[in-house]
Amino acid sequence: MKKAFWVCALLSVAACSEKQGSGAGQSAQDKEAAALAGKDEKCPGGTVKGCLDAGTEAERKGDSPRAVEMYTRVCDAGVARVCNVLGTFVWQGRGVSADPARAYSLYKRACDGGDAAGCFSAGICHRTGTCAEKNDAEARKFIQRACDGGDKRACANLGSP
């Protein structure tokens, strides 16, 4: 009985520490959930999630212009992971003119919003010099942020386990 009490107490402290350690306010997942629940009358169903679902469906059907339109609304609403996806569309010129500088801006926006994959993408832009100034120090900084955020590709690029 005592052991169960201390295990529960320890888990409670760990959960509180994790929430406090994530900075003032919400976690990236909480921010994403709030953004997806947000109202947008131009989205199907009147919510940002409606735009995400429509963008995903358009992408599945190969309708890249529609996917870009919907993903843009979702990214603008603050869903960081979708900014990274949109960056890839922009980089590849899928549904929109290819624009490496804009793609980098979207990757950086995703990274700044807490999306580790966005940090990795921004880092690769700097490593290759294809969508941002070639800069090994900046590349390493972004790739380290991605690894710290749990992106395994980034950790492999750094030589970390």
Side-chain angles (χ1 to χ4, degrees), residues 16-107:
C16 288
S17 297
E18 184 176 312
K19 285 183 182 176
Q20 290 173 351
S22 65
Q26 303 173 308
S27 71
Q29 292 87 359
D30 291 341
K31 288 178 185 176
E32 179 175 311
L36 288 171
K39 301 292 181 198
D40 187 331
E41 296 306 318
K42 294 185 179 181
C43 292
T47 65
V48 174
K49 182 166 183 339
C51 275
L52 176 59
D53 293 343
T56 302
E57 181 67 12
E59 182 180 359
R60 188 184 67 74
K61 290 181 175 178
D63 185 355
S64 295
R66 173 78 172 159
V68 166
E69 175 190 359
M70 294 293 102
Y71 288 159
T72 298
R73 297 196 75 76
V74 178
C75 176
D76 288 348
V79 182
R81 68 182 166 92
V82 175
C83 295
N84 184 51
V85 171
L86 181 59
T88 301
F89 272 77
V90 171
W91 166 251
Q92 295 173 345
R94 291 173 50 205
V96 65
S97 296
D99 184 344
R102 181 172 173 230
Y104 172 73
S105 176
L106 288 162
Y107 294 147

Side-chain angles (χ1 to χ4, degrees), residues 9 23 28 33 41 59 104 106-107 110 116-117 119 124 126 129-130 137 143 145 150 153 156:
E41 296 306 318
E59 182 180 359
Y104 172 73
L106 288 162
Y107 294 147
C119 296
I124 295 302
H126 280 293
T130 54
I143 293 171
R145 279 179 70 185
R153 301 167 304 165

